[in-house]
Amino acid sequence: MNIENVQKVAVLGAGSMGHQIAMLCALGGYETSLQDIEVGAIDKAKEVLEARMQDWIKKDKVTKEQKEVAFEKLSTTTELETAVKDADLVIEAVVEKLDVKREIFAKLDSYAPKGAVLATNSSTIVNSKIADVTTRKDKVINMHFFFPPLVMDCVEVVKSDQTSAETAQTALDFCERIGRKGVLLEKEIYGFVANRLLFALSNEAVYLYENGYADFESIDLIAKKALSHPLGPFELMDLSGIDVGYYGNMQLYEETGDPKNKPPKSIEEKVKSGNLGRKTGKGWYDYTKGDK
């Protein structure tokens, strides 16, 4: 499979990442199927994308014609087999849980054409932990888009020992075709590059907060004023979704058994209470009050 053979794309998961990745693909000229098991998630995705594209028209980022063409190329379904049966590239963007991803990839191996590349948008889980449920380990790869995909110009493309050079090049070429910079990681490592750097920052920030050195607002302020970060670590957790980091930590803890890899207490409390950040209206900050 090379980039010239990629004509149709399937994106699995219509959540905060998936629906934007699907729109990127459609804007890039690809026939794109967006799949989610929940009709409500698909309906919300359509609504959000319509509003985003209308805003882009006003800001001259796209023309009305480009928007209309993209929506013509973007279809939706709740059926996994329907979404991937004729796809040349599948991008999985579901919840950050290994067992869920393995279950999906096992089905993909049966439903998708044998030559199709199967990519995971996982932000932490290396593809070799998923690929072994398929008969095409050479065609499985990480394509880690960053939130929000319609804004962030970077994709971490990660090879395993089994991923072929051709698959990696196809992923990199695809990123270029949809206007994103793909960066290749030749070896697997948990969390890749960006998130390993972010984990170090966020873990230290939570440590300082939980041990009473400063409140989270002050830590965010220092990060922005002294380090020139556009967002503080707690603001960034809210933007990305507190649950994303939580499940990433849990996966690492399950792999290592090292207590230091368990999610911090305050993060666990946020997840259990359902306060996951911007997407739920409340996380470290309360977005329902217009504070942010």
Side-chain angles (χ1 to χ4, degrees), residues 14 34-47 76-78:
L34 175 62
Q35 184 269 343
D36 197 289
I37 59 174
E38 298 290 341
V39 174
I42 292 174
D43 290 342
K44 182 179 180 181
K46 290 178 181 178
E47 181 182 336
T76 60
T77 180
T78 57

Side-chain angles (χ1 to χ4, degrees), residues 31-193:
E31 296 290 337
T32 306
S33 179
L34 175 62
Q35 184 269 343
D36 197 289
I37 59 174
E38 298 290 341
V39 174
I42 292 174
D43 290 342
K44 182 179 180 181
K46 290 178 181 178
E47 181 182 336
V48 171
L49 288 174
E50 176 66 34
R52 176 64 68 93
M53 291 301 104
Q54 282 299 124
D55 183 57
W56 276 22
I57 290 173
K58 292 177 183 178
K59 294 179 178 178
D60 294 324
K61 291 184 176 182
V62 296
T63 65
K64 181 180 179 183
E65 291 73 21
Q66 287 173 320
K67 174 214 165 186
E68 290 174 351
V69 169
F71 273 104
E72 287 176 2
K73 291 183 175 295
L74 181 62
S75 61
T76 60
T77 180
T78 57
E79 298 298 323
L80 181 62
E81 185 171 6
T82 300
V84 307
K85 65 182 180 181
D86 57 357
D88 305 302
L89 170 64
V90 180
I91 303 174
E92 168 270 312
V94 304
V95 66
E96 193 75 347
K97 293 183 177 181
L98 179 59
D99 58 338
V100 175
K101 294 180 186 296
R102 285 175 61 84
E103 181 180 350
I104 288 173
F105 270 70
K107 293 178 180 178
L108 290 180
D109 198 45
S110 297
Y111 296 157
K114 292 303 179 184
V117 170
L118 307 182
T120 174
N121 179 55
S122 174
S123 57
T124 57
I125 301 169
V126 296
N127 71 79
S128 61
K129 291 188 174 296
I130 304 170
D132 66 330
V133 301
T134 77
T135 58
R136 58 179 96 184
K137 296 177 183 178
D138 60 315
K139 293 181 174 62
V140 179
I141 196 164
N142 288 88
M143 291 181 67
H144 175 217
F145 292 76
F146 290 86
F147 184 81
L150 283 169
V151 176
M152 299 296 286
D153 181 22
C154 188
V155 180
E156 290 178 318
V157 176
V158 188
K159 289 177 61 180
S160 72
D161 290 340
Q162 291 79 36
T163 306
S164 71
E166 182 181 61
T167 295
Q169 190 59 54
T170 298
L172 291 169
D173 291 341
F174 182 78
C175 291
E176 184 177 351
R177 295 283 178 97
I178 62 173
R180 290 295 173 267
K181 179 60 179 178
V183 183
L184 181 64
L185 277 67
E186 291 281 2
K187 292 170 61 178
E188 292 184 320
I189 187 169
Y190 173 87
F192 319 134
V193 173

Side-chain angles (χ1 to χ4, degrees), residues 248-261:
N249 273 133
M250 284 300 297
Q251 178 61 37
L252 182 59
Y253 172 62
E254 289 173 6
E255 291 180 19
T256 66
D258 190 336
K260 71 179 177 60
N261 292 324

